[in-house]
């Protein structure tokens, strides 16, 4: 089994094995950004890709750790546009932004760091509309609920309780993801309308956050920050995906089991900068998408970005 949260990677693997059905995909290029759009249509697609039916948009661009958010304007603009598309018609009752992950663990801190920079308006949306002369501002709230080991409460329970209390019409979830390829780390953004299962990328499955579990639409956004060590070793040693690589992967896993080696994930050494830049990029894109009537300069001033 290859561990990846990215639909674009899962589709590529399914294609290589000749078992891709029930899936539509298209790819385009805007400036320095490659946009991959995958639609999983039915049960055949779910089986082939291993992900629930829905829309998955992947943006591939420069590495965020080596490029400041100011130099990623194309990525920021496209990400804001895609968030707005996925959220279209679903923001009237307010948006709850949820930053998943552990702020004390750098590779897992993307969600909390992003949530810190969201322009929250639910507590004074009417006053801000008058002050900024922007009619009908979207009521936005934001939370970073931590992880089970910190709170003793499942993230899904916290978010579900909050949804039942404040009744948003959309939940927007941010989380760090796992990729198959090191090249994807910090240079890819995935957006989806299917929700997310916290911790799935590192094999720590928690309660899913989806429309089915929360009762409202859920849009998920993530950046891959880790890669499974066995998958990475197989990719480096085995090259393209084929039957020989499947055998190599199983051999590496057997060797690790024989040595009683723990399951591991790998993250780049510049992970702290990657998280900082990715969080700024995502928060700016979310703020633009949810508050399209405000200028980018105003949003930056209001959030301190």
């Amino acid at each position: 089994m290859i561990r990846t949260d990215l639909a674009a990677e899962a589709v590529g693997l399914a294609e290589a094995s000749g078992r891709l059905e029930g899936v539509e995909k298209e790819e385009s290029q805007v400036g320095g950004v490659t946009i991959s759009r995958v639609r999983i249509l039915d049960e055949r697609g779910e089986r082939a890709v291993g992900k629930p039916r829905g829309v998955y948009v992947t943006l591939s661009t420069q590495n965020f750790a080596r490029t400041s958010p100011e130099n990623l304007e194309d990525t920021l603009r496209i990400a804001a546009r895609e968030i707005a598309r996925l959220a279209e018609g679903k923001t009237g009752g307010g948006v709850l932004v949820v930053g998943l992950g552990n702020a004390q663990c750098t590779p897992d801190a993307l969600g909390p760091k992003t949530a810190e920079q969201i322009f929250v308006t639910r507590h004074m949306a009417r006053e801000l509309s008058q002050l900024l002369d922007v009619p009908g501002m979207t009521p936005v709230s934001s939370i970073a609920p931590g992880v089970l080991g910190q709170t003793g409460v499942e993230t899904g329970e916290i978010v579900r309780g909050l949804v039942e209390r404040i009744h948003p019409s959309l939940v927007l979830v941010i989380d760090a993801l796992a990729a198959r390829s090191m090249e994807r780390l910090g240079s890819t953004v995935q957006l989806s309308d299917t929700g997310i299962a916290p911790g799935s990328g590192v094999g720590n499955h928690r309660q899913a956050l989806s429309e089915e579990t929360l009762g409202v639409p859920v849009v998920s956004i993530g950046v891959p920050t880790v890669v499974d060590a066995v998958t990475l070793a197989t990719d480096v040693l085995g090259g393209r995906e084929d039957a020989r690589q499947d055998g190599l992967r199983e051999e590496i896993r057997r060797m690790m089991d024989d040595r009683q080696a723990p399951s591991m994930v790998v993250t780049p050494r510049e992970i702290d900068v990657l998280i900082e830049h990715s969080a700024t990029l995502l928060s700016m894109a979310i703020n633009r998408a949810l508050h399209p009537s405000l200028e980018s300069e105003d949003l930056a001033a209001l959030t301190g970005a």
Side-chain angles (χ1 to χ4, degrees):
M1 175 183 177
I2 292 181
R3 185 175 293 167
T4 178
D5 289 322
L6 300 180
E9 289 187 330
V11 166
L13 294 170
E15 276 186 313
S17 64
R19 53 181 174 80
L20 185 63
E21 296 181 313
V23 175
E24 292 180 350
K25 65 168 193 167
E26 59 184 74
E27 190 171 290
S28 59
Q29 187 82 23
V30 177
V33 183
T34 301
I35 306 168
S36 171
R37 195 179 306 276
V38 171
R39 294 180 179 87
I40 300 178
L41 306 174
D42 52 33
E43 292 181 358
R44 295 175 304 157
E46 291 180 331
R47 287 194 300 269
V49 180
K51 298 189 180 300
R53 69 189 70 184
V55 177
Y56 299 82
V57 181
T58 305
L59 312 180
S60 304
T61 184
Q62 305 171 62
N63 188 283
F64 304 148
R66 305 185 191 108
T67 311
S68 67
E70 292 77 14
N71 293 325
L72 289 168
E73 179 59 32
D74 282 346
T75 309
L76 174 57
R77 176 173 50 81
I78 295 168
R81 182 193 71 191
E82 296 298 335
I83 294 169
R85 282 182 176 177
L86 292 173
E88 187 174 5
K90 304 170 185 173
T91 62
V95 178
L96 171 62
V97 178
V98 180
L100 298 177
N102 184 348
Q104 306 305 314
C105 176
T106 304
D108 196 33
L110 177 66
K113 294 290 186 183
T114 303
E116 288 177 0
Q117 302 176 61
I118 296 300
F119 181 39
V120 294
T121 57
R122 177 178 176 269
H123 59 308
M124 53 186 304
R126 184 177 303 174
E127 293 84 348
L128 283 170
S129 291
Q130 296 173 349
L131 179 64
L132 301 174
D133 194 25
V134 177
M137 287 194 70
T138 303
V140 177
S141 48
S142 177
I143 184 174
V147 295
L148 180 63
Q150 295 173 318
T151 64
V153 184
E154 285 277 5
T155 300
E157 294 175 330
I158 295 173
V159 177
R160 188 165 60 250
L162 198 52
V163 167
E164 292 172 354
R165 180 67 178 177
I166 69 174
H167 306 293
S169 55
L170 175 69
V171 174
L172 200 158
V173 181
I174 306 105
D175 199 10
L177 306 177
R180 170 183 179 251
S181 169
M182 286 291 290
E183 295 176 356
R184 290 282 189 179
L185 301 188
S187 61
T188 301
V189 179
Q190 177 174 273
L191 308 97
S192 174
D193 63 357
T194 64
I196 197 167
S200 61
V202 294
N204 183 27
H205 295 269
R206 312 311 313 175
Q207 294 181 6
L209 302 178
S210 64
E211 184 168 5
E212 183 179 21
T213 61
L214 298 180
V216 296
V218 178
V219 170
S220 64
I221 308 172
V223 172
T225 62
V226 298
V227 61
D228 177 60
V230 172
T231 300
L232 175 62
T234 307
D235 197 30
V236 171
L237 296 174
R240 292 184 177 275
E241 178 67 20
D242 54 23
R244 287 175 298 176
Q245 196 177 52
D246 289 340
L248 177 60
R249 182 180 306 105
E250 291 308 312
E251 179 63 24
I252 293 173
R253 290 196 187 278
R254 280 196 298 270
M255 291 171 61
M256 294 185 69
D257 289 342
D258 290 343
R259 298 184 181 187
Q260 298 184 333
S263 177
M264 293 185 293
V265 292
V266 180
T267 194
R269 63 181 178 181
E270 66 269 23
I271 187 62
D272 52 343
V273 180
L274 189 157
I275 291 295
E276 179 184 346
H277 287 185
S278 298
T280 299
L281 176 73
L282 294 188
S283 62
M284 291 172 67
I286 292 167
N287 289 333
R288 285 193 191 184
L290 299 183
H291 306 290
S293 299
L294 292 177
E295 298 292 334
S296 300
E297 295 79 6
D298 294 332
L299 285 168
L302 289 165
T303 59

